[in-house]
Amino acid sequence: MRFDPEEYIESKLNDIKRILRPEESDKVLAACSGGVDSTVSAILVARALGRPIKAVYIDDGLRRKGEPERVQKILNELGLSTFIYDAKKDVLEALKGKVDAEEKRKAFREAFYTVLGRIIREMNAKYLVQGTIAADIVETVGGIKTQHNVLEELGIADKYGFKLIEPVKDLYKPQVRLIARKLGLPAEICERKPFPGPGLAVRIVGEVTWEKLELLRKVTEIVEEETSDIESFQSFAVLLDVRATGIRDGKRVYGYIVALRVVSSEDAMSARFVEVPYERLRRISTRIISEVPEVSRVLYDVTDKPPATIEFE
């Protein structure tokens, strides 16, 4: 059955109007990462109400370099009243000592929504808008991996003190992109590659520390620059929980190992690794080793989904 974005938008706006009244706009908060899912969700609610709503960017310390300020600027230009909330201390404390992937995801979820609950109480708000999509629910309920933004399906939505509004929870990523284009959102939103909710925490295998986050931020910037012209669903780097011997300036070093992952996919339910030309891989490796001296080796992941998942954790 062909998906009609215009018909979906009209239907969803009517659904939202049945839940919210325009005078309740000050009771609504959107959690926005700047990704297509959360941004589309916020814009749909704002348009249904016919007035701007507040949006919060949670600065959890797990994002790319300069991302909070960049996202705030974009969202404000789209008419959302956006503010940044510093939750780095809360989130890093919650992740301290966690090495298991599922433990990290659940610890992040608990910290993230505890912070959101605090903000909502401070604002005297009632509703939280977020960009949960169908793939998040399928993977969480199916036990593949816990997506942090799936609450109702696990029966834990009420504990945080707000009501959820999830306008695109029955859609997959390609459909959300169609909605974004139909809404007239800029290409930097419509075509933005997915980034995990727990951010770099799930691209660090093992315990998350500030040192590792800063290192991975540098590597991530290099990888995204060097693969920006390669058609892919996602391209990123993972910091492994092992080290390896290398040679730097004629001396032995014991540095981190970074794995590169570039995949093509339609809906994130399956994926194939992209056959990146060797010369490009060599250039990426050379840049990482020379610009991030803590790294001694760079690997390339050639595993499809399934049997692997797209992210390592």
Side-chain angles (χ1 to χ4, degrees):
M1 183 177 176
R2 190 178 71 86
F3 177 71
D4 185 333
E6 191 169 350
E7 185 178 290
Y8 185 90
I9 290 171
E10 183 178 353
S11 172
K12 191 54 60 176
L13 291 178
N14 288 331
D15 288 345
I16 295 167
K17 288 174 183 177
R18 280 192 285 270
I19 299 170
L20 295 170
R21 299 186 304 276
E23 57 269 25
E24 290 184 294
S25 61
D26 62 344
K27 299 292 183 181
V28 178
L29 176 68
C32 277
S33 65
V36 65
D37 305 328
S38 62
T39 305
V40 163
S41 297
I43 295 297
L44 283 172
V45 171
R47 292 197 181 180
L49 292 173
R51 58 187 66 182
I53 61 172
K54 290 186 174 66
V56 61
Y57 181 97
I58 302 293
D59 184 3
D60 50 27
L62 308 177
R63 308 296 135 183
R64 303 172 179 94
K65 181 181 177 183
E67 192 153 24
E69 295 76 18
R70 184 165 61 249
V71 170
Q72 182 184 38
K73 181 175 181 293
I74 294 170
L75 295 179
N76 283 339
E77 289 172 352
L78 292 174
L80 299 172
S81 179
T82 312
F83 64 97
I84 298 171
Y85 190 92
D86 188 346
K88 291 191 285 290
K89 183 178 179 181
D90 300 78
V91 172
L92 290 176
E93 184 62 31
L95 291 170
K96 189 175 181 180
K98 303 288 191 303
V99 295
D100 177 78
E102 276 295 278
E103 283 188 4
K104 286 197 290 184
R105 285 180 175 275
K106 290 174 181 176
F108 172 80
R109 178 180 65 198
E110 182 65 23
F112 186 83
Y113 285 104
T114 297
V115 167
L116 274 173
R118 183 192 311 156
I119 298 169
I120 284 176
R121 287 192 298 275
E122 290 172 359
M123 290 177 52
N124 196 28
K126 183 178 178 182
Y127 300 95
L128 177 71
V129 181
Q130 67 175 20
T132 309
I133 63 172
D136 299 330
I137 296 169
V138 169
E139 291 200 329
T140 300
V141 175
I144 297 171
K145 61 182 177 182
T146 298
Q147 297 293 350
H148 82 286
N149 56 350
V150 177
L151 302 180
E152 284 187 337
E153 288 73 16
L154 297 179
I156 59 175
D158 293 337
K159 67 178 283 189
Y160 298 105
F162 48 73
K163 294 183 179 180
L164 282 172
I165 298 177
E166 299 171 307
V168 295
K169 68 185 296 183
D170 53 340
L171 302 182
Y172 286 90
K173 186 74 70 175
Q175 297 167 317
V176 181
R177 293 195 194 281
L178 290 174
I179 297 290
R181 295 177 192 126
K182 184 60 68 173
L183 290 171
L185 301 187
E188 56 195 321
I189 295 293
C190 299
E191 312 306 328
R192 191 182 187 198
K193 292 181 180 179
F195 195 75
L200 298 178
V202 293
R203 292 179 178 173
I204 294 173
V205 179
E207 184 177 5
V208 178
T209 66
W210 189 254
E211 175 204 3
K212 291 179 181 178
L213 285 166
E214 290 289 81
L215 187 157
L216 188 53
R217 258 187 274 278
K218 296 174 187 175
V219 174
T220 296
E221 188 172 33
I222 294 169
V223 172
E224 291 186 344
E225 283 177 5
E226 293 290 347
T227 59
S228 61
D229 62 338
I230 294 176
E231 187 174 343
S232 66
F233 182 75
Q234 279 179 272
S235 60
F236 58 91
V238 176
L239 186 64
L240 301 183
D241 195 27
V242 289
R243 298 201 187 201
T245 301
I247 302 170
R248 189 176 292 276
D249 299 326
K251 297 179 181 179
R252 177 186 182 276
V253 295
Y254 199 53
Y256 286 103
I257 302 175
V258 165
L260 308 181
R261 185 94 162 119
V262 185
V263 298
S264 61
S265 177
E266 286 296 322
D267 55 12
M269 299 307 295
S270 63
R272 293 180 63 84
F273 74 86
V274 175
E275 296 183 18
V276 178
Y278 281 116
E279 283 308 308
R280 181 68 63 91
L281 291 174
R282 182 183 297 278
R283 190 169 78 197
I284 296 171
S285 174
T286 299
R287 276 198 65 186
I288 292 172
I289 296 296
S290 63
E291 295 177 30
V292 190
E294 298 92 338
V295 176
S296 63
R297 299 197 185 194
V298 178
L299 314 178
Y300 187 60
D301 184 350
V302 292
T303 318
D304 294 335
K305 175 184 180 179
T309 54
I310 294 178
E311 299 286 347
F312 272 46
E313 298 211 320

